Amino acid sequence: MAHKKESFMRGTMALSVAAFINRILGFISGMFVARALGAEGIGLLMMAHPLVPLVITITELGLPVAISKLVAEAYARDEKVKVRRILHVSLAVTGFLSVALTTLSLLGSHWIASILLSDQRAYYAMLAITPIAPIVAVSAVLKGYFRGVQRMKVIAASDVLEYSVQIASVLALVHLLLPYGVAYAAAGAMAASVISEAISLSFLVVSYKVRGEAKLPGETWTGHLKQGKKTLTELLQIGLPTTGQGIVHSVYSAFQPLLIATSLALAGISTALATKQFGMLAGYAFPLLYMPSFITQSLSTALIPAIGEAAANKNDRLMHERMNQALNLGLLIGAPATVILFQWATPLTKLVYNAPEAGLLLKILAPMFFLHYFDAPLHAILLGLGRASATLWNYIVSTTFKAIAIFVFGSQFGIVGITFGIGIGIVMQTLLNFFSISGSIGIYMNIQPYLKVGICMLLMAICGRWSFDYLTVVQGIPLLWSVAGSISCALLIYFAALLSMDALLKASRSILIPR
């Protein structure tokens, strides 16, 4: 048991480090693409992308989660044949579905484009990304296997390789195709994702060949599939309930660009300008907002079994301890990130994207996005409690409300109204998850740490504003160094204030999950 726990911790650390590297690599890639394509090109990318997640979600059927669970159980019982049967059945199902749906998507591409794309220049980008579905589906199955046998380093290495290849491919293809127009350059950026996923899949296949299970004499694909009915049933029993939210998310994401374009048209904004404004929101503001959240996403994965174990043992005290750990984690990550993204919104969008006009959108979203840093831990808690259906319904309700808010506010106030609508959806989803947990087992919160962090955030904002004005106006220091210097000064004040109130030590200590 001790060895298993140590292996899990090493795997978690490997995934966390890989997530950090990938976030940096992805941010660099996104920054280059944003600068090369401009807001209009980014808008085309965002319009073309949502169809693929829907195809991937349908083809995966939630199987990667089911695979990792069933493989882990079979591996523990030393049922090597069952491990291979799970893998063969999963590959057969996802391979068939992904190839079939991708073929249908390619054949019906003109019809799909006429319905989903408000700007038909995004057609080439949509066409370029469509072949990625079978590659991602097969990769997901292999990653499910490696999670099940607790070889997380293989997954971490494949992810880093994927992002590295993607940056190189994006740089090459966008540079090569930009002279032919922004529509072709956007298609090149999408094609780079296909190339990087294919290289990552190749790495996973080779890793499985080298480190996977050896076949027994007489084992064949046909034999596994003929005897795989029970295995398929087990996979679908776990996989299907987890895929509902993914389908809703993918359907909404596919129609969101059209919803935004329609509401902007009602506000009297032209198609080209609407595409540009959507690009600023989706391609400039959101990458900055999501940048810090990889920490909560990575660590929240550990909360699902932790809460599940406490719930199974009916240990209410431990359950509430772990909930407080999750909320404190969101607080420690979200508080300084929110101040930085709000206070330095315009300087950051100017420095990173050379688009200071996107600063207003970032400034509007940052305070509401603060609750998003709590959402991943809250979602994990609900899953650990076995309330996956609650997360699905909370998502449906908040997404419906968000769609209505986008349409109403967007048609009246343009892109600013749309930004508020999206922010309201984020707030509602987090609150619904919070209330679901409270309704199940109650939440007992100590308000004192939140008040202390609130005071520290205020001090950080005041210090940041003063230091930025001093460095830029009084000293005339270039923007890059003014931003870096003022953020460093503000963070120093923030952490000093936390230490003086003894809030940092308590919050940091509580994040560590008890044994």
Side-chain angles (χ1 to χ4, degrees):
M1 290 298 290
H3 173 72
K4 188 174 181 180
K5 182 174 281 190
E6 187 178 291
S7 173
F8 168 75
M9 291 306 297
R10 281 203 304 268
T12 303
M13 183 60 69
L15 288 176
S16 299
V17 170
F20 175 71
I21 294 170
N22 292 342
R23 190 59 62 98
I24 297 296
L25 291 174
F27 190 75
I28 293 169
S29 175
M31 186 170 65
F32 168 78
V33 172
R35 282 178 169 270
L37 298 182
E40 197 172 356
I42 291 295
L44 295 177
L45 280 181
M46 296 300 148
M47 285 180 183
H49 187 263
L51 176 67
V52 173
L54 176 60
V55 174
I56 291 170
T57 301
I58 294 171
T59 56
E60 285 183 357
L61 292 175
L63 292 183
V65 175
I67 292 163
S68 60
K69 181 180 184 298
L70 293 178
V71 164
E73 291 174 354
Y75 209 75
R77 294 191 296 264
D78 201 33
E79 296 176 354
K80 300 296 178 64
V81 175
K82 185 170 183 181
V83 169
R84 289 189 293 279
R85 183 168 298 149
I86 290 166
L87 200 57
H88 282 75
V89 170
S90 302
L91 285 171
V93 172
T94 54
F96 173 77
L97 284 174
S98 60
V99 170
L101 286 174
T102 301
T103 303
L104 287 174
S105 298
L106 289 171
L107 291 174
S109 58
H110 283 289
W111 178 75
I112 293 167
S114 68
I115 293 175
L116 293 183
L117 303 181
S118 57
D119 190 328
Q120 292 303 306
R121 291 177 300 168
Y123 171 72
Y124 297 108
M126 186 190 79
L127 212 57
I129 193 68
T130 303
I132 205 172
I135 302 170
V136 172
V138 175
S139 291
V141 170
L142 290 174
K143 286 178 180 179
Y145 163 78
F146 283 117
R147 286 192 195 97
V149 297
Q150 297 188 20
R151 291 176 189 159
M152 303 298 184
K153 290 180 183 177
V154 176
I155 301 170
S158 74
D159 288 345
V160 173
L161 176 64
E162 177 191 331
Y163 273 87
S164 302
V165 172
Q166 187 175 12
I167 286 184
S169 303
V170 162
L171 287 170
L173 289 174
V174 171
H175 178 73
L176 189 68
L177 295 172
L178 197 55
Y180 298 97
V182 71
Y184 289 101
M190 287 299 204
S193 298
V194 179
I195 294 168
S196 60
E197 282 284 357
I199 297 295
S200 174
L201 173 59
S202 301
F203 176 81
L204 290 170
V205 170
V206 170
S207 299
Y208 179 75
K209 291 286 187 185
V210 173
R211 305 185 65 181
E213 314 303 328
K215 281 192 202 179
L216 293 177
E219 266 191 71
T220 61
W221 268 82
T222 309
H224 280 304
L225 295 180
K226 281 181 179 178
Q227 300 173 33
K229 186 176 179 181
K230 184 183 175 184
T231 302
L232 179 61
T233 304
E234 290 176 341
L235 286 165
L236 293 180
Q237 280 176 345
I238 302 166
L240 286 178
T242 64
T243 201
Q245 185 172 337
I247 290 175
V248 175
H249 174 73
S250 298
V251 169
Y252 173 76
S253 296
F255 283 96
Q256 181 177 272
L258 190 61
L259 175 67
I260 290 174
T262 304
S263 59
L264 288 176
L266 289 172
I269 296 168
S270 68
T271 301
L273 182 57
T275 301
K276 183 178 179 180
Q277 289 183 341
F278 178 62
M280 283 196 299
L281 180 62
Y284 295 172
F286 274 106
L288 287 170
L289 288 162
Y290 280 111
M291 186 71 180
S293 64
F294 79 93
I295 301 172
T296 55
Q297 292 287 346
S298 297
L299 294 179
S300 291
T301 305
L303 275 169
I304 298 173
I307 292 291
E309 180 191 358
N313 293 330
K314 296 182 180 178
N315 189 337
D316 288 348
R317 182 176 174 277
L318 183 57
M319 212 176 332
H320 285 94
E321 271 184 26
R322 287 173 174 171
M323 282 195 296
N324 283 326
Q325 292 155 11
L327 297 176
N328 281 328
L329 175 62
L331 186 65
L332 279 182
I333 301 302
T338 299
V339 174
I340 290 169
L341 293 170
F342 179 82
Q343 194 73 51
W344 285 270
T346 302
L348 282 172
T349 52
K350 180 175 176 55
L351 271 177
V352 177
Y353 304 113
N354 196 26
E357 62 272 23
L360 173 63
L361 308 181
L362 182 58
K363 206 176 190 78
I364 291 168
L365 275 173
M368 292 183 281
F369 206 82
F370 178 48
L371 287 183
H372 173 78
Y373 301 110
F374 296 90
D375 189 52
L378 289 172
H379 182 83
I381 291 166
L382 278 172
L383 291 176
L385 292 170
R387 296 205 58 201
S389 59
T391 65
L392 172 60
W393 284 111
N394 290 346
Y395 183 77
I396 290 172
V397 171
S398 62
T399 301
T400 303
F401 195 88
K402 177 170 67 173
I404 295 168
I406 285 173
F407 185 77
V408 172
F409 294 148
S411 58
Q412 295 296 317
F413 307 108
I415 194 67
V416 170
I418 285 166
T419 306
F420 270 108
I422 291 173
I424 289 168
I426 291 167
V427 172
M428 176 166 277
Q429 182 174 332
T430 306
L431 291 178
L432 285 172
N433 284 339
F434 181 88
F435 291 136
S436 293
I437 295 168
S438 182
S440 290
I441 55 171
I443 292 183
Y444 309 105
M445 294 175 61
N446 181 6
I447 201 68
Q448 194 176 26
Y450 294 88
L451 292 175
K452 287 180 178 179
V453 170
I455 293 168
C456 295
M457 289 173 72
L458 183 61
L459 291 172
M460 179 183 174
I462 293 169
C463 169
R465 184 68 187 175
W466 177 84
S467 58
F468 181 72
D469 288 344
Y470 175 78
L471 291 172
T472 52
V473 179
V474 179
Q475 296 295 325
I477 293 174
L479 185 63
L480 173 62
W481 302 111
S482 298
V483 169
S486 55
I487 289 177
S488 300
C489 178
L491 284 171
L492 189 64
I493 293 295
Y494 173 77
F495 286 114
L498 278 179
L499 283 170
S500 69
M501 295 181 186
D502 198 28
L504 179 62
L505 191 61
K506 287 180 181 176
S508 300
R509 191 185 297 127
S510 71
I511 287 172
L512 298 174
I513 296 175
R515 293 181 183 179

